[in-house]
Amino acid sequence: MAGKKVLIVYAHQEPKSFNGSLLKIAVEELTKQGCSVTVSDLYAMQFEPRATRNDIVGHLHNSEAFNYGVETWEAYKRGCLSKDLVEEQKKVREADLLIFQFPLFWFNMPAILKGWMDRVLVQGFAYDFSKIYDGGLLQDKLSLFSFTTGVSQEIYSKEGIGGDIRYVLWPMQHGIMHFCGVKVLEPHICYAPENVSEEKRKEMLAAWTQRLKTLWKEEPINCSPEWYFK
């Protein structure tokens, strides 16, 4: 939709990967719609995933015992977070839609993307403990998790050994995005692209293109435990 701003946070090492193809399609299709698209390519940026003292510029609130949550909250209020965090927060602040593109690692997002969540979405910016979930500080935004798996859809089913894929999404969509007030669109999952035919991979890419064409008409999911565990 013309005028909308999109931030894609991308976590894959190889531009020629299937994830790279999904990213390329998203940038091209959303740009074609008139959206302003920004990409945070975490590996290319050599984004620092570790939450450390280096994230605070200047003095600490309590130099006797380091508490990352407290120190980043105080630093945010003083305007004293590190430059890379300020830049990423600016991208988030300006975005109408956040897309996270990544391969699923060990039932979770890659460490570099989890580090982005840990470091960027600090108290005061993304939430306050009196302002969480539907009252979170980022409640004017949409999010979408687009990812690939290493195994088939059958394994990620209630009857499969991996359990329902929605169980995996609970800490990501509900524990992070919804906690910060962000509305969540249905995830886009490409199951085991490395283990299917070239024709099937092309179908997966075409389905992503097609979905993006009508993305702005979609309604967010019902952000409740029932969506994940019913």
Side-chain angles (χ1 to χ4, degrees):
M1 186 181 295
K4 293 288 189 180
K5 293 186 177 182
V6 181
L7 171 61
I8 305 177
V9 185
Y10 172 68
H12 198 288
Q13 306 92 329
E14 176 52 63
K16 291 179 285 192
S17 65
F18 194 82
N19 274 270
S21 296
L22 293 166
L23 170 67
K24 185 171 182 286
I25 286 170
V27 171
E28 290 176 352
E29 177 57 37
L30 292 168
T31 300
K32 193 186 302 180
Q33 294 174 19
C35 299
S36 173
V37 182
T38 300
V39 177
S40 283
D41 184 340
L42 300 184
Y43 285 103
M45 294 160 59
Q46 298 187 321
F47 185 82
E48 171 59 77
R50 295 172 298 178
T52 71
R53 164 71 176 86
N54 294 333
D55 293 347
I56 296 96
V57 177
H59 71 273
L60 293 177
H61 178 70
N62 180 357
S63 59
E64 298 298 317
F66 184 73
N67 180 313
Y68 186 82
V70 171
E71 293 297 343
T72 50
W73 180 32
E74 293 294 336
Y76 176 76
K77 290 188 287 186
R78 299 195 312 268
C80 291
L81 288 174
S82 60
K83 183 173 180 286
D84 61 335
L85 297 191
V86 172
E87 289 173 351
E88 292 304 299
Q89 288 175 348
K90 182 175 185 290
K91 296 175 190 176
V92 172
R93 187 180 294 110
E94 293 177 349
D96 299 295
L97 168 65
L98 309 171
I99 297 177
F100 301 99
Q101 182 65 59
F102 59 95
L104 198 67
F105 285 177
W106 293 112
F107 281 48
N108 212 325
M109 64 185 78
I112 198 168
L113 179 54
K114 180 57 165 58
W116 185 95
M117 302 283 186
D118 292 346
R119 296 181 63 228
V120 175
L121 303 178
V122 301
Q123 185 177 356
F125 170 70
Y127 69 93
D128 210 335
F129 284 111
S130 62
K131 296 177 180 178
I132 57 175
Y133 292 109
D134 290 342
L137 299 178
L138 302 180
Q139 58 189 280
D140 59 334
K141 303 181 188 308
L142 292 169
S143 64
L144 191 162
F145 285 81
S146 172
F147 60 94
T148 59
T149 70
V151 295
S152 68
Q153 188 169 3
E154 289 72 28
I155 288 178
Y156 280 118
S157 65
K158 286 185 178 178
E159 297 74 29
I161 194 168
D164 195 324
I165 194 69
R166 292 189 178 193
Y167 305 158
V168 175
L169 288 162
W170 168 256
M172 302 185 212
Q173 294 186 163
H174 190 81
I176 302 176
M177 288 295 106
H178 186 205
F179 185 88
C180 296
V182 182
K183 296 178 178 64
V184 180
L185 297 175
E186 284 276 352
H188 195 87
I189 309 168
C190 292
Y191 290 95
E194 292 186 1
N195 301 328
V196 299
S197 66
E198 182 62 26
E199 181 181 355
K200 182 62 178 174
R201 283 193 288 273
K202 288 179 180 177
E203 289 175 6
M204 290 179 177
L205 295 175
W208 179 226
T209 304
Q210 197 57 41
R211 183 179 178 189
L212 289 165
K213 290 181 185 298
T214 58
L215 193 66
W216 299 105
K217 296 179 181 178
E218 292 186 15
E219 291 294 324
I221 66 168
N222 173 25
C223 285
S224 67
E226 287 73 28
W227 188 89
Y228 299 89
F229 303 111
K230 65 183 176 183

